[in-house]
Amino acid sequence: MKTLPFLIIFYLSALLQPIEPGDPRMIFHDFTEGTVYLKDRSQVRAKLNYDAYDEQMIFVNNNQVMALANPELIDRVAIGERTFYWLEKDIFLEKIDSASIVIYKRHRRQMRSEGKETSFGGVTQTQAVSTIERLNRSSDNASASLEQKESFRFENDDLFYLYADGKFESLATPKQIAKFFRTNKKSLASYMQSHAIDLQNSNDVIQLIQFCRKTAD
């Protein structure tokens, strides 16, 4: 098993700002013991977490937070009882293994503005809650937003995938689902409406896949 210094040197990790326990961008409450399994069959143990806002696997070393680079060299990452596979860029998908269907979850957080603080300590309400563009922590735009004392919240914006023929297939839209399963679009739309299918809910996605497999052309 390779050591943590190897992980730092070999992957040329990027140094990030400190992250407190319970940070809403993270999918684990705190950094958790895990293992990075490399494609050369070696392993690296580290305290890991996944940033669902910037969509990157991160780890802590000597109280410094770092992001894994070169994720294409990684076979999988195990954190506790959960397993993650690389999709593209810095993005990893979590394997969701049900009794009959395996799907993969892309954890995402969307930052939304709740208004700016007033001089009396309140928050101004905008006409509609606005979605904030994804910002790198170190970007000037992110710093400017914080200086304006704007109130934000993070919301889940997850996507699901299937793995078939050596690649991940997105299930983000009814159109993608109908194309992948060769399902009649009208039948699919009718089923989703009558069963109130939420494509960001894993149980609903599995239910929809089962329907598509039964009714595929």
Side-chain angles (χ1 to χ4, degrees), residues 91-119:
I91 302 167
F92 282 79
L93 306 178
E94 181 181 2
K95 183 179 181 182
I96 308 295
D97 197 352
S98 69
S100 58
I101 297 172
V102 176
I103 59 175
Y104 295 82
K105 182 176 182 177
R106 179 176 174 179
H107 291 273
R108 302 198 308 176
R109 299 283 190 274
Q110 191 79 275
M111 182 189 285
R112 294 188 181 274
S113 172
E114 296 182 314
K116 296 180 181 180
E117 291 184 13
T118 68
S119 57

PDB file of all heavy atoms in Angstrom, residues 91-119:
ATOM      1  N   ILE A  91     -14.920  14.888 -11.397  1.00  0.00           N
ATOM      2  CA  ILE A  91     -16.211  14.423 -10.892  1.00  0.00           C
ATOM      3  C   ILE A  91     -16.200  12.917 -10.612  1.00  0.00           C
ATOM      4  O   ILE A  91     -15.744  12.127 -11.443  1.00  0.00           O
ATOM      5  CB  ILE A  91     -17.323  14.752 -11.901  1.00  0.00           C
ATOM      6  CG1 ILE A  91     -17.363  16.266 -12.168  1.00  0.00           C
ATOM      7  CG2 ILE A  91     -18.674  14.253 -11.395  1.00  0.00           C
ATOM      8  CD1 ILE A  91     -18.216  16.636 -13.361  1.00  0.00           C
ATOM      9  N   PHE A  92     -16.757  12.541  -9.443  1.00  0.00           N
ATOM     10  CA  PHE A  92     -16.932  11.138  -9.087  1.00  0.00           C
ATOM     11  C   PHE A  92     -18.413  10.849  -8.880  1.00  0.00           C
ATOM     12  O   PHE A  92     -19.188  11.717  -8.476  1.00  0.00           O
ATOM     13  CB  PHE A  92     -16.165  10.799  -7.802  1.00  0.00           C
ATOM     14  CG  PHE A  92     -14.692  10.618  -8.007  1.00  0.00           C
ATOM     15  CD1 PHE A  92     -13.844  11.708  -8.117  1.00  0.00           C
ATOM     16  CD2 PHE A  92     -14.142   9.338  -8.099  1.00  0.00           C
ATOM     17  CE1 PHE A  92     -12.480  11.550  -8.313  1.00  0.00           C
ATOM     18  CE2 PHE A  92     -12.781   9.161  -8.283  1.00  0.00           C
ATOM     19  CZ  PHE A  92     -11.943  10.265  -8.398  1.00  0.00           C
ATOM     20  N   LEU A  93     -18.798   9.606  -9.152  1.00  0.00           N
ATOM     21  CA  LEU A  93     -20.166   9.139  -8.947  1.00  0.00           C
ATOM     22  C   LEU A  93     -20.185   8.104  -7.830  1.00  0.00           C
ATOM     23  O   LEU A  93     -19.296   7.254  -7.753  1.00  0.00           O
ATOM     24  CB  LEU A  93     -20.720   8.501 -10.221  1.00  0.00           C
ATOM     25  CG  LEU A  93     -20.679   9.321 -11.509  1.00  0.00           C
ATOM     26  CD1 LEU A  93     -21.230   8.488 -12.663  1.00  0.00           C
ATOM     27  CD2 LEU A  93     -21.454  10.619 -11.364  1.00  0.00           C
ATOM     28  N   GLU A  94     -21.208   8.160  -6.991  1.00  0.00           N
ATOM     29  CA  GLU A  94     -21.360   7.149  -5.940  1.00  0.00           C
ATOM     30  C   GLU A  94     -22.199   5.994  -6.447  1.00  0.00           C
ATOM     31  O   GLU A  94     -23.283   6.185  -7.015  1.00  0.00           O
ATOM     32  CB  GLU A  94     -22.021   7.740  -4.698  1.00  0.00           C
ATOM     33  CG  GLU A  94     -22.161   6.708  -3.584  1.00  0.00           C
ATOM     34  CD  GLU A  94     -22.838   7.225  -2.339  1.00  0.00           C
ATOM     35  OE1 GLU A  94     -23.255   8.406  -2.329  1.00  0.00           O
ATOM     36  OE2 GLU A  94     -22.961   6.445  -1.369  1.00  0.00           O
ATOM     37  N   LYS A  95     -21.737   4.787  -6.224  1.00  0.00           N
ATOM     38  CA  LYS A  95     -22.467   3.594  -6.626  1.00  0.00           C
ATOM     39  C   LYS A  95     -23.623   3.342  -5.662  1.00  0.00           C
ATOM     40  O   LYS A  95     -23.432   3.243  -4.451  1.00  0.00           O
ATOM     41  CB  LYS A  95     -21.534   2.381  -6.643  1.00  0.00           C
ATOM     42  CG  LYS A  95     -22.180   1.092  -7.123  1.00  0.00           C
ATOM     43  CD  LYS A  95     -21.161  -0.040  -7.131  1.00  0.00           C
ATOM     44  CE  LYS A  95     -21.770  -1.340  -7.640  1.00  0.00           C
ATOM     45  NZ  LYS A  95     -20.785  -2.452  -7.612  1.00  0.00           N
ATOM     46  N   ILE A  96     -24.843   3.248  -6.217  1.00  0.00           N
ATOM     47  CA  ILE A  96     -26.042   2.943  -5.431  1.00  0.00           C
ATOM     48  C   ILE A  96     -26.511   1.554  -5.858  1.00  0.00           C
ATOM     49  O   ILE A  96     -27.029   1.367  -6.951  1.00  0.00           O
ATOM     50  CB  ILE A  96     -27.162   3.974  -5.674  1.00  0.00           C
ATOM     51  CG1 ILE A  96     -26.646   5.403  -5.478  1.00  0.00           C
ATOM     52  CG2 ILE A  96     -28.350   3.687  -4.776  1.00  0.00           C
ATOM     53  CD1 ILE A  96     -26.217   5.735  -4.079  1.00  0.00           C
ATOM     54  N   ASP A  97     -26.324   0.589  -4.984  1.00  0.00           N
ATOM     55  CA  ASP A  97     -26.563  -0.816  -5.332  1.00  0.00           C
ATOM     56  C   ASP A  97     -27.854  -1.295  -4.684  1.00  0.00           C
ATOM     57  O   ASP A  97     -27.895  -1.563  -3.490  1.00  0.00           O
ATOM     58  CB  ASP A  97     -25.375  -1.657  -4.869  1.00  0.00           C
ATOM     59  CG  ASP A  97     -25.344  -3.024  -5.530  1.00  0.00           C
ATOM     60  OD1 ASP A  97     -26.317  -3.366  -6.219  1.00  0.00           O
ATOM     61  OD2 ASP A  97     -24.345  -3.732  -5.358  1.00  0.00           O
ATOM     62  N   SER A  98     -28.931  -1.399  -5.495  1.00  0.00           N
ATOM     63  CA  SER A  98     -30.193  -1.928  -4.981  1.00  0.00           C
ATOM     64  C   SER A  98     -30.245  -3.431  -5.253  1.00  0.00           C
ATOM     65  O   SER A  98     -29.302  -4.008  -5.791  1.00  0.00           O
ATOM     66  CB  SER A  98     -31.380  -1.223  -5.649  1.00  0.00           C
ATOM     67  OG  SER A  98     -31.467  -1.583  -7.007  1.00  0.00           O
ATOM     68  N   ALA A  99     -31.360  -4.060  -4.920  1.00  0.00           N
ATOM     69  CA  ALA A  99     -31.471  -5.510  -5.072  1.00  0.00           C
ATOM     70  C   ALA A  99     -31.369  -5.943  -6.528  1.00  0.00           C
ATOM     71  O   ALA A  99     -30.799  -6.989  -6.838  1.00  0.00           O
ATOM     72  CB  ALA A  99     -32.789  -5.993  -4.472  1.00  0.00           C
ATOM     73  N   SER A 100     -31.908  -5.131  -7.454  1.00  0.00           N
ATOM     74  CA  SER A 100     -31.964  -5.570  -8.854  1.00  0.00           C
ATOM     75  C   SER A 100     -31.269  -4.622  -9.833  1.00  0.00           C
ATOM     76  O   SER A 100     -30.984  -5.008 -10.963  1.00  0.00           O
ATOM     77  CB  SER A 100     -33.431  -5.722  -9.290  1.00  0.00           C
ATOM     78  OG  SER A 100     -34.122  -4.499  -9.117  1.00  0.00           O
ATOM     79  N   ILE A 101     -31.003  -3.404  -9.407  1.00  0.00           N
ATOM     80  CA  ILE A 101     -30.457  -2.384 -10.318  1.00  0.00           C
ATOM     81  C   ILE A 101     -29.333  -1.619  -9.643  1.00  0.00           C
ATOM     82  O   ILE A 101     -29.434  -1.243  -8.474  1.00  0.00           O
ATOM     83  CB  ILE A 101     -31.567  -1.399 -10.752  1.00  0.00           C
ATOM     84  CG1 ILE A 101     -32.662  -2.129 -11.529  1.00  0.00           C
ATOM     85  CG2 ILE A 101     -30.995  -0.253 -11.592  1.00  0.00           C
ATOM     86  CD1 ILE A 101     -33.871  -1.279 -11.823  1.00  0.00           C
ATOM     87  N   VAL A 102     -28.274  -1.389 -10.383  1.00  0.00           N
ATOM     88  CA  VAL A 102     -27.169  -0.566  -9.901  1.00  0.00           C
ATOM     89  C   VAL A 102     -27.197   0.756 -10.653  1.00  0.00           C
ATOM     90  O   VAL A 102     -27.165   0.783 -11.883  1.00  0.00           O
ATOM     91  CB  VAL A 102     -25.804  -1.258 -10.117  1.00  0.00           C
ATOM     92  CG1 VAL A 102     -24.670  -0.327  -9.692  1.00  0.00           C
ATOM     93  CG2 VAL A 102     -25.739  -2.560  -9.334  1.00  0.00           C
ATOM     94  N   ILE A 103     -27.303   1.851  -9.918  1.00  0.00           N
ATOM     95  CA  ILE A 103     -27.224   3.174 -10.517  1.00  0.00           C
ATOM     96  C   ILE A 103     -26.101   3.954  -9.845  1.00  0.00           C
ATOM     97  O   ILE A 103     -25.553   3.523  -8.821  1.00  0.00           O
ATOM     98  CB  ILE A 103     -28.554   3.940 -10.395  1.00  0.00           C
ATOM     99  CG1 ILE A 103     -28.956   4.110  -8.930  1.00  0.00           C
ATOM    100  CG2 ILE A 103     -29.649   3.246 -11.190  1.00  0.00           C
ATOM    101  CD1 ILE A 103     -30.199   4.966  -8.736  1.00  0.00           C
ATOM    102  N   TYR A 104     -25.761   5.091 -10.418  1.00  0.00           N
ATOM    103  CA  TYR A 104     -24.654   5.892  -9.905  1.00  0.00           C
ATOM    104  C   TYR A 104     -25.133   7.325  -9.692  1.00  0.00           C
ATOM    105  O   TYR A 104     -25.762   7.915 -10.565  1.00  0.00           O
ATOM    106  CB  TYR A 104     -23.477   5.860 -10.878  1.00  0.00           C
ATOM    107  CG  TYR A 104     -22.872   4.475 -11.016  1.00  0.00           C
ATOM    108  CD1 TYR A 104     -23.437   3.542 -11.864  1.00  0.00           C
ATOM    109  CD2 TYR A 104     -21.761   4.104 -10.267  1.00  0.00           C
ATOM    110  CE1 TYR A 104     -22.905   2.263 -11.977  1.00  0.00           C
ATOM    111  CE2 TYR A 104     -21.220   2.832 -10.372  1.00  0.00           C
ATOM    112  CZ  TYR A 104     -21.802   1.919 -11.225  1.00  0.00           C
ATOM    113  OH  TYR A 104     -21.274   0.654 -11.332  1.00  0.00           O
ATOM    114  N   LYS A 105     -24.828   7.844  -8.528  1.00  0.00           N
ATOM    115  CA  LYS A 105     -25.326   9.164  -8.144  1.00  0.00           C
ATOM    116  C   LYS A 105     -24.227  10.212  -8.262  1.00  0.00           C
ATOM    117  O   LYS A 105     -23.143  10.057  -7.697  1.00  0.00           O
ATOM    118  CB  LYS A 105     -25.839   9.122  -6.701  1.00  0.00           C
ATOM    119  CG  LYS A 105     -26.429  10.433  -6.202  1.00  0.00           C
ATOM    120  CD  LYS A 105     -26.987  10.253  -4.800  1.00  0.00           C
ATOM    121  CE  LYS A 105     -27.636  11.519  -4.280  1.00  0.00           C
ATOM    122  NZ  LYS A 105     -28.240  11.328  -2.937  1.00  0.00           N
ATOM    123  N   ARG A 106     -24.543  11.268  -8.973  1.00  0.00           N
ATOM    124  CA  ARG A 106     -23.643  12.425  -9.061  1.00  0.00           C
ATOM    125  C   ARG A 106     -24.111  13.464  -8.048  1.00  0.00           C
ATOM    126  O   ARG A 106     -25.105  14.151  -8.245  1.00  0.00           O
ATOM    127  CB  ARG A 106     -23.661  13.001 -10.468  1.00  0.00           C
ATOM    128  CG  ARG A 106     -22.776  14.230 -10.649  1.00  0.00           C
ATOM    129  CD  ARG A 106     -22.777  14.667 -12.104  1.00  0.00           C
ATOM    130  NE  ARG A 106     -22.064  15.919 -12.290  1.00  0.00           N
ATOM    131  CZ  ARG A 106     -21.884  16.527 -13.463  1.00  0.00           C
ATOM    132  NH1 ARG A 106     -22.393  15.963 -14.567  1.00  0.00           N
ATOM    133  NH2 ARG A 106     -21.244  17.665 -13.558  1.00  0.00           N
ATOM    134  N   HIS A 107     -23.401  13.544  -6.937  1.00  0.00           N
ATOM    135  CA  HIS A 107     -23.757  14.497  -5.890  1.00  0.00           C
ATOM    136  C   HIS A 107     -23.423  15.913  -6.346  1.00  0.00           C
ATOM    137  O   HIS A 107     -22.282  16.206  -6.722  1.00  0.00           O
ATOM    138  CB  HIS A 107     -22.980  14.185  -4.607  1.00  0.00           C
ATOM    139  CG  HIS A 107     -23.388  12.909  -3.941  1.00  0.00           C
ATOM    140  ND1 HIS A 107     -24.416  12.837  -3.031  1.00  0.00           N
ATOM    141  CD2 HIS A 107     -22.892  11.648  -4.060  1.00  0.00           C
ATOM    142  CE1 HIS A 107     -24.547  11.592  -2.608  1.00  0.00           C
ATOM    143  NE2 HIS A 107     -23.636  10.843  -3.215  1.00  0.00           N
ATOM    144  N   ARG A 108     -24.431  16.795  -6.305  1.00  0.00           N
ATOM    145  CA  ARG A 108     -24.199  18.187  -6.666  1.00  0.00           C
ATOM    146  C   ARG A 108     -24.920  19.091  -5.666  1.00  0.00           C
ATOM    147  O   ARG A 108     -25.996  18.771  -5.187  1.00  0.00           O
ATOM    148  CB  ARG A 108     -24.717  18.500  -8.077  1.00  0.00           C
ATOM    149  CG  ARG A 108     -24.101  17.650  -9.164  1.00  0.00           C
ATOM    150  CD  ARG A 108     -24.297  18.261 -10.553  1.00  0.00           C
ATOM    151  NE  ARG A 108     -25.687  18.600 -10.829  1.00  0.00           N
ATOM    152  CZ  ARG A 108     -26.088  19.213 -11.941  1.00  0.00           C
ATOM    153  NH1 ARG A 108     -25.208  19.581 -12.854  1.00  0.00           N
ATOM    154  NH2 ARG A 108     -27.374  19.473 -12.143  1.00  0.00           N
ATOM    155  N   ARG A 109     -24.301  20.222  -5.365  1.00  0.00           N
ATOM    156  CA  ARG A 109     -24.931  21.249  -4.548  1.00  0.00           C
ATOM    157  C   ARG A 109     -25.052  22.510  -5.392  1.00  0.00           C
ATOM    158  O   ARG A 109     -24.119  22.902  -6.087  1.00  0.00           O
ATOM    159  CB  ARG A 109     -24.101  21.560  -3.305  1.00  0.00           C
ATOM    160  CG  ARG A 109     -23.896  20.384  -2.366  1.00  0.00           C
ATOM    161  CD  ARG A 109     -25.134  20.090  -1.532  1.00  0.00           C
ATOM    162  NE  ARG A 109     -24.801  19.119  -0.497  1.00  0.00           N
ATOM    163  CZ  ARG A 109     -24.822  17.798  -0.659  1.00  0.00           C
ATOM    164  NH1 ARG A 109     -25.183  17.287  -1.824  1.00  0.00           N
ATOM    165  NH2 ARG A 109     -24.495  16.998   0.326  1.00  0.00           N
ATOM    166  N   GLN A 110     -26.209  23.140  -5.308  1.00  0.00           N
ATOM    167  CA  GLN A 110     -26.456  24.405  -5.981  1.00  0.00           C
ATOM    168  C   GLN A 110     -26.539  25.487  -4.920  1.00  0.00           C
ATOM    169  O   GLN A 110     -27.247  25.328  -3.919  1.00  0.00           O
ATOM    170  CB  GLN A 110     -27.764  24.327  -6.770  1.00  0.00           C
ATOM    171  CG  GLN A 110     -28.007  25.487  -7.724  1.00  0.00           C
ATOM    172  CD  GLN A 110     -27.221  25.338  -9.000  1.00  0.00           C
ATOM    173  OE1 GLN A 110     -26.061  25.727  -9.060  1.00  0.00           O
ATOM    174  NE2 GLN A 110     -27.842  24.776 -10.023  1.00  0.00           N
ATOM    175  N   MET A 111     -25.826  26.586  -5.123  1.00  0.00           N
ATOM    176  CA  MET A 111     -25.887  27.697  -4.186  1.00  0.00           C
ATOM    177  C   MET A 111     -26.990  28.663  -4.612  1.00  0.00           C
ATOM    178  O   MET A 111     -27.042  29.089  -5.759  1.00  0.00           O
ATOM    179  CB  MET A 111     -24.545  28.431  -4.135  1.00  0.00           C
ATOM    180  CG  MET A 111     -24.512  29.580  -3.131  1.00  0.00           C
ATOM    181  SD  MET A 111     -23.018  30.581  -3.290  1.00  0.00           S
ATOM    182  CE  MET A 111     -21.816  29.491  -2.549  1.00  0.00           C
ATOM    183  N   ARG A 112     -27.863  28.997  -3.676  1.00  0.00           N
ATOM    184  CA  ARG A 112     -28.949  29.929  -3.980  1.00  0.00           C
ATOM    185  C   ARG A 112     -28.930  31.106  -3.006  1.00  0.00           C
ATOM    186  O   ARG A 112     -28.665  30.939  -1.826  1.00  0.00           O
ATOM    187  CB  ARG A 112     -30.304  29.219  -3.932  1.00  0.00           C
ATOM    188  CG  ARG A 112     -30.479  28.171  -5.014  1.00  0.00           C
ATOM    189  CD  ARG A 112     -31.892  27.625  -5.052  1.00  0.00           C
ATOM    190  NE  ARG A 112     -32.035  26.599  -6.073  1.00  0.00           N
ATOM    191  CZ  ARG A 112     -32.310  26.842  -7.346  1.00  0.00           C
ATOM    192  NH1 ARG A 112     -32.468  28.084  -7.754  1.00  0.00           N
ATOM    193  NH2 ARG A 112     -32.433  25.853  -8.218  1.00  0.00           N
ATOM    194  N   SER A 113     -29.226  32.263  -3.535  1.00  0.00           N
ATOM    195  CA  SER A 113     -29.240  33.477  -2.726  1.00  0.00           C
ATOM    196  C   SER A 113     -30.588  33.638  -2.050  1.00  0.00           C
ATOM    197  O   SER A 113     -31.642  33.433  -2.659  1.00  0.00           O
ATOM    198  CB  SER A 113     -28.954  34.689  -3.616  1.00  0.00           C
ATOM    199  OG  SER A 113     -29.152  35.889  -2.870  1.00  0.00           O
ATOM    200  N   GLU A 114     -30.556  34.026  -0.775  1.00  0.00           N
ATOM    201  CA  GLU A 114     -31.786  34.315  -0.041  1.00  0.00           C
ATOM    202  C   GLU A 114     -31.965  35.811   0.186  1.00  0.00           C
ATOM    203  O   GLU A 114     -32.869  36.236   0.888  1.00  0.00           O
ATOM    204  CB  GLU A 114     -31.787  33.567   1.290  1.00  0.00           C
ATOM    205  CG  GLU A 114     -31.808  32.055   1.129  1.00  0.00           C
ATOM    206  CD  GLU A 114     -31.859  31.331   2.453  1.00  0.00           C
ATOM    207  OE1 GLU A 114     -31.084  31.710   3.350  1.00  0.00           O
ATOM    208  OE2 GLU A 114     -32.653  30.395   2.601  1.00  0.00           O
ATOM    209  N   GLY A 115     -31.063  36.633  -0.365  1.00  0.00           N
ATOM    210  CA  GLY A 115     -31.136  38.077  -0.197  1.00  0.00           C
ATOM    211  C   GLY A 115     -29.924  38.619   0.519  1.00  0.00           C
ATOM    212  O   GLY A 115     -29.082  37.872   1.018  1.00  0.00           O
ATOM    213  N   LYS A 116     -29.809  39.937   0.552  1.00  0.00           N
ATOM    214  CA  LYS A 116     -28.666  40.598   1.195  1.00  0.00           C
ATOM    215  C   LYS A 116     -29.067  41.143   2.556  1.00  0.00           C
ATOM    216  O   LYS A 116     -30.210  41.540   2.781  1.00  0.00           O
ATOM    217  CB  LYS A 116     -28.166  41.735   0.305  1.00  0.00           C
ATOM    218  CG  LYS A 116     -27.615  41.265  -1.031  1.00  0.00           C
ATOM    219  CD  LYS A 116     -27.136  42.433  -1.861  1.00  0.00           C
ATOM    220  CE  LYS A 116     -26.603  41.949  -3.212  1.00  0.00           C
ATOM    221  NZ  LYS A 116     -26.133  43.075  -4.056  1.00  0.00           N
ATOM    222  N   GLU A 117     -28.082  41.164   3.460  1.00  0.00           N
ATOM    223  CA  GLU A 117     -28.336  41.681   4.799  1.00  0.00           C
ATOM    224  C   GLU A 117     -28.621  43.180   4.739  1.00  0.00           C
ATOM    225  O   GLU A 117     -28.007  43.923   3.978  1.00  0.00           O
ATOM    226  CB  GLU A 117     -27.128  41.419   5.704  1.00  0.00           C
ATOM    227  CG  GLU A 117     -26.908  39.958   6.039  1.00  0.00           C
ATOM    228  CD  GLU A 117     -25.774  39.759   7.011  1.00  0.00           C
ATOM    229  OE1 GLU A 117     -25.332  40.771   7.603  1.00  0.00           O
ATOM    230  OE2 GLU A 117     -25.326  38.618   7.191  1.00  0.00           O
ATOM    231  N   THR A 118     -29.568  43.650   5.562  1.00  0.00           N
ATOM    232  CA  THR A 118     -29.875  45.066   5.647  1.00  0.00           C
ATOM    233  C   THR A 118     -29.095  45.686   6.803  1.00  0.00           C
ATOM    234  O   THR A 118     -28.476  44.987   7.613  1.00  0.00           O
ATOM    235  CB  THR A 118     -31.378  45.283   5.883  1.00  0.00           C
ATOM    236  OG1 THR A 118     -31.709  44.810   7.199  1.00  0.00           O
ATOM    237  CG2 THR A 118     -32.195  44.534   4.846  1.00  0.00           C
ATOM    238  N   SER A 119     -29.157  46.990   6.907  1.00  0.00           N
ATOM    239  CA  SER A 119     -28.431  47.686   7.977  1.00  0.00           C
ATOM    240  C   SER A 119     -29.013  47.377   9.347  1.00  0.00           C
ATOM    241  O   SER A 119     -28.387  47.618  10.370  1.00  0.00           O
ATOM    242  CB  SER A 119     -28.475  49.198   7.740  1.00  0.00           C
ATOM    243  OG  SER A 119     -29.808  49.642   7.653  1.00  0.00           O
TER     244      SER A 119
END
